[in-house]
Amino acid sequence: MRPGKAWTIPALTLGLLVSTGAMADDTTLPAVQVNATRLDIPPFDLPASLSVIRVAPGASSKPGVNLSEALVGVPGILARDRQNYAQDEQVSLRGFGARSTFGVRGVRLYADGIPATMPDGQGQASHFSLDGADRIEVLRGPFSALYGNASGGVMQIWSAEGGTPAQVRVGLFAGSDASMRMGASARGMQGAFDYNLALSHFQTQGYRDHSRAQRESGNARLGFDLGSAGHLIVVANTLALPQAQDPLGLTRSQAWADPRQAAAPAYQFDTRKSVHQSQLGAVYEVSSSEQTQWRLMAYYGNRGVQQVLPVPVAAQRNPLSAGGVVDLDSDYGGVDARWTHRATLLGRPVELTAGASYDDQDQHRRGYENFAGSTLGVTGRLRRDEDDRVWNLDPYAQLYWRFAERWSALVGVRQSTVRFRSDDRYVTADNPDDSGSVRYRATLPVAGVQFRATDWLHLHASFGKGFETPTFAELSYRADGGAGLAFNLRPAVSQQGELGAKWHAAGSWSVDGALFRADTRNELAVASNVGGRASYRTIGRSRREGAEFAAQGELGPGWRLQLAATHVRARFLSPFLTCVPAGCTTPATPVAAGARIPGVPANYGSARLEHGGSLGWRVGVELQGVDAVTVNDLGRERAPGYLLTGVDLAYALPLGPSRLTLSARVDNLFDRRVIGSVIVNEGNGRYYEPAPGRTLMFGAQLAF
């Protein structure tokens, strides 16, 4: 699509929303309460782009391994399975977060209201439990600023409440590449106590060589109805990744010659990662009156990571090198206290929320050589030892006011303070004390207004200021090659705006569309990538703008359609210098203003057509399309776009009071050769992470 025509389809889409709405019946849909904006407001009445995805374990032919399985039909978000469980999924939203080489950054993550993103902005979705989930909420645009250190948006997963009758579900999936997943969950209620427990085990040999992985996870949500004393929810989860091999990226020629291969250094150093995490949290809510509610959330967790990297032995001869084995032990926790009051202002209903959040992460970071003598891929001498701490303190307030019969406004502000500190415990004659600290602060206002054109057509506009600090991973290595953290990096600040329309017709049909733009200053870019280490620097301005569209509903008896499409034009607005040749340490090659931000496709989308009910046969067809994407700042190489087709078939039959569901699924039906994800600005030119060809998955699930 040429830039000059990029806005034609979105503009027509919004026009279609208005004109189609004029033909609908005057119908008021039942409210579905969500928690994305911390207010007791249905998503249809919010001046923001919000998607709510219902998760129905046992009703899907997908194994529930990756978060991307549940995001079909959600606009704006792009979740790409790396086929590399040492690096987690690659998640971006409206172009934010695409440069992350591991984990999730630029998009804040929450599980049952408890942060899965650390105070520095780095998040992990690997402990999200689809077995116990009720829904996923994806908030896009300016109102993500109300969560602090995030620019692109907010994604939350919520566990289902236990109920009656009690239900137990067990499932087994097995398929291509010796992949197997077992899961079990139990939900129920005993008087004032309800529970939701889920356990899973996953293992795979991997599509690519040297990509074997094993993962166990558990999640528990316990609810206590305390009567007039309030309501208490306790959430506990664990994650064990004993070992996940890392096949690394491939060059273009390698990916096309043999997409299953791993890069040579992966074998030489036996690149791999292990993770162990445990976390406990609680949410207490109580109403002091019919108009006033108090909420207190607290959590604590520990996460340990050990990773062997392919850092060349020669690069570690530098006395400032941190080695090639990373050993992280993190204790983290936080609290969030919130007050909500409902009243009237000038005779119209108003809801006010005020609160403050504090999050803290203490991380013991050690680095070791990845060799001992002539043996590679082992833990050698200590080369880095430091205590790193980051905390944030964020007071916030927001107000929702229906100031007229058809008009409402949502305004808010958050004062965000993030402080990093590093205490160096590895000091030698050749490696000086690199302790230091830095503090970032920003005031983040946001405002939106909604016009209810009819009961079934709502229009909105919103604007806000976003804030994104460097993560510890990006601060870890200085661009000048020195030891210690890169305290000279500045936070990225974004101005975001959005125009949107929501049409919810009679029955179950809903159509949503939005035009958006985000202008960022102090964009972060790779300064150099040498010896397996990426360093970053602050450059100038950038812009991400585009449009998104989503629709879902019933086509006829038993037929249901979901579809979503997103267009993003992501560009650097300021020229800067970048590194090109392997081993480059000083950026010298110019990148012109207007260059595409790498890792962000111009167009992407998904669709699913399904037929069937809770019993008997169910068949589904899915399409997922992604445009070509540049892989480095210069745009000289790119991963081609693709359109993938998946089909699934399931049969559910009653067995007395139980139900057995058998399923089969084929992904990449036409066996396309695909680059599933890219490693932006990889210093050795190994940008490409191939996705599997045609794969099969068979499942059996029993609910009783």
Side-chain angles (χ1 to χ4, degrees):
M1 181 181 296
R2 297 198 304 271
K5 295 187 177 180
W7 292 95
T8 303
I9 294 177
L12 290 175
T13 297
L14 291 179
L16 182 62
L17 287 173
V18 176
S19 61
T20 307
M23 297 183 291
D25 295 331
D26 191 359
T27 304
T28 301
L29 295 179
V32 179
Q33 304 304 120
V34 296
N35 301 89
T37 56
R38 303 189 177 100
L39 294 170
D40 191 24
I41 304 169
F44 190 45
D45 291 334
L46 287 173
S49 294
L50 172 67
S51 296
V52 181
I53 307 99
R54 292 293 179 182
V55 181
S60 174
S61 301
K62 301 177 183 179
V65 175
N66 299 306
L67 186 63
S68 55
E69 298 175 24
L71 297 177
V72 174
V74 181
I77 196 163
L78 180 61
R80 310 184 81 173
D81 181 5
R82 297 177 182 272
Q83 292 296 307
N84 182 349
Y85 292 93
Q87 304 298 348
D88 215 343
E89 281 191 284
Q90 189 178 69
V91 177
S92 62
L93 205 160
R94 292 183 175 179
F96 288 99
R99 74 165 180 271
S100 180
T101 54
F102 67 93
V104 180
R105 59 105 61 244
V107 179
R108 287 200 72 87
L109 305 175
Y110 288 81
D112 289 311
I114 297 170
T117 296
M118 295 296 100
D120 66 344
Q122 185 76 48
Q124 305 288 338
S126 51
H127 69 284
F128 279 17
S129 173
L130 293 176
D131 288 298
D134 171 65
R135 68 187 187 276
I136 298 171
E137 299 174 8
V138 180
L139 175 66
R140 305 176 295 282
F143 278 95
S144 62
L146 293 177
Y147 285 83
N149 187 9
S151 290
V154 180
M155 182 161 55
Q156 305 195 60
I157 188 169
W158 296 92
S159 299
E161 297 180 7
T164 55
Q167 185 180 71
V168 176
R169 178 179 290 108
V170 293
L172 173 65
F173 289 85
S176 301
D177 304 316
S179 297
M180 186 268 288
R181 185 183 187 276
M182 295 183 293
S185 64
R187 303 179 188 179
M189 176 180 289
Q190 294 290 334
F193 167 70
D194 72 271
Y195 60 90
N196 181 346
L197 310 174
L199 293 171
S200 69
H201 167 85
F202 168 71
Q203 65 185 52
T204 182
Q205 287 296 317
Y207 166 68
R208 296 177 57 196
D209 295 342
H210 197 76
S211 61
R212 185 175 66 250
Q214 178 180 322
R215 185 174 75 193
E216 286 87 29
S217 63
N219 190 79
R221 180 201 181 276
L222 310 176
F224 303 87
D225 186 349
L226 307 178
S228 61
H231 189 262
L232 175 66
I233 298 173
V234 177
V235 180
N237 53 63
T238 63
L239 169 70
L241 188 73
Q243 180 172 301
Q245 295 177 323
D246 187 349
L248 307 177
L250 300 177
T251 65
R252 185 179 184 87
S253 59
Q254 289 172 333
W256 262 251
D258 179 9
R260 284 186 173 268
Q261 67 178 303
Y267 302 111
Q268 295 168 358
F269 291 94
D270 188 19
T271 49
R272 61 196 185 274
K273 181 179 182 180
S274 63
V275 178
H276 294 84
Q277 176 176 307
S278 57
Q279 181 176 289
L280 178 67
V283 180
Y284 175 65
E285 295 179 335
V286 63
S287 298
S288 57
S289 68
E290 291 185 2
Q291 294 79 31
T292 303
Q293 183 184 60
W294 297 85
R295 177 187 182 273
L296 177 65
M297 182 276 293
Y299 70 100
Y300 172 80
N302 175 267
R303 182 178 177 90
V305 178
Q306 295 78 40
Q307 186 167 14
V308 179
L309 302 171
V311 180
V313 172
Q316 298 173 66
R317 295 186 183 129
N318 183 334
L320 301 181
S321 171
V325 176
V326 177
D327 188 340
L328 302 177
D329 185 44
S330 299
D331 292 307
Y332 60 91
V335 295
D336 182 276
R338 186 185 311 165
W339 168 83
T340 301
H341 183 71
R342 298 171 184 86
T344 59
L345 179 61
L346 299 179
R348 305 295 302 175
V350 64
E351 183 172 336
L352 173 65
T353 296
S357 64
Y358 173 80
D359 303 281
D360 191 299
Q361 179 186 13
D362 286 304
Q363 180 174 269
H364 190 189
R365 176 186 291 267
R366 285 165 292 191
Y368 300 88
E369 293 175 343
N370 57 6
F371 64 94
S374 60
T375 304
L376 304 181
V378 297
T379 301
R381 292 188 304 146
L382 180 70
R383 297 296 299 273
R384 186 173 193 170
D385 188 0
E386 64 194 36
D387 288 326
D388 297 331
R389 183 187 179 198
V390 56
W391 58 261
N392 71 271
L393 178 61
D394 291 26
Y396 58 85
Q398 58 195 71
L399 180 145
Y400 177 77
W401 184 29
R402 293 195 63 167
F403 59 88
E405 183 64 30
R406 293 191 176 274
W407 291 88
S408 60
L410 177 60
V411 297
V413 64
R414 186 178 184 113
Q415 172 69 52
S416 187
T417 301
V418 184
R419 187 176 186 271
F420 292 83
R421 178 170 179 81
S422 178
D423 294 315
D424 192 356
R425 298 180 179 274
Y426 183 80
V427 181
T428 69
D430 298 320
N431 192 327
D433 188 343
D434 300 298
S435 301
S437 64
V438 64
R439 184 175 65 177
Y440 304 116
R441 178 177 291 173
T443 300
L444 310 173
V446 62
V449 62
Q450 185 184 75
F451 172 61
R452 296 171 175 82
T454 68
D455 288 341
W456 31 261
L457 177 63
H458 293 179
L459 310 174
H460 74 265
S462 59
F463 179 82
K465 181 179 178 181
F467 174 69
E468 184 179 15
T469 71
T471 66
F472 255 131
E474 292 159 345
L475 290 168
S476 292
Y477 306 103
R478 289 165 40 177
D480 61 6
L485 300 187
F487 291 121
N488 62 321
L489 296 180
R490 298 192 295 274
V493 179
S494 300
Q495 305 283 351
Q496 297 196 50
E498 177 181 276
L499 296 174
K502 304 176 184 180
W503 174 60
H504 289 191
S508 63
W509 269 99
S510 66
V511 181
D512 297 70
L515 307 177
F516 59 85
R517 191 169 96 176
D519 289 333
T520 303
R521 56 182 172 86
N522 299 333
E523 181 76 38
L524 209 62
V526 172
S528 64
N529 197 325
V530 179
R533 303 292 195 189
S535 61
Y536 296 83
R537 64 194 181 103
T538 303
I539 58 171
R541 299 178 299 118
S542 65
R543 175 173 293 167
R544 298 164 176 86
E545 60 185 349
E548 59 187 30
F549 170 82
Q552 59 178 336
E554 302 288 339
L555 293 175
W559 289 93
R560 182 168 180 81
L561 174 68
Q562 295 174 275
L563 61 90
T566 304
H567 170 74
V568 181
R569 178 179 167 85
R571 295 286 189 271
F572 295 112
L573 298 183
S574 301
F576 62 97
L577 301 177
T578 190
C579 272
V580 174
C584 169
T585 58
T586 303
T589 304
V591 177
R596 289 177 59 177
I597 296 177
V600 183
N603 302 286
Y604 53 94
S606 59
R608 177 175 176 83
L609 178 63
E610 183 177 279
H611 178 66
S614 58
L615 290 175
W617 290 102
R618 185 179 68 248
V619 61
V621 179
E622 282 185 7
L623 298 176
Q624 294 200 16
V626 177
D627 210 348
V629 59
T630 57
V631 298
N632 56 15
D633 292 333
L634 291 173
R636 292 178 178 174
E637 287 198 45
R638 64 178 56 197
Y642 57 82
L643 177 64
L644 297 181
T645 304
V647 296
D648 53 79
L649 182 67
Y651 186 77
L653 64 156
L655 297 176
S658 304
R659 182 174 65 189
L660 175 66
T661 302
L662 303 176
S663 63
R665 180 175 176 86
V666 183
D667 282 302
N668 194 356
L669 177 65
F670 300 106
D671 201 23
R672 306 295 190 194
R673 180 166 289 193
V674 171
I675 301 299
S677 60
V678 298
I679 306 172
V680 171
N681 287 320
E682 208 281 337
N684 299 290
R686 297 195 294 258
Y687 307 114
Y688 305 98
E689 295 181 297
R694 185 186 298 114
T695 58
L696 304 175
M697 182 64 68
F698 301 94
Q701 300 176 80
L702 179 65
F704 54 93

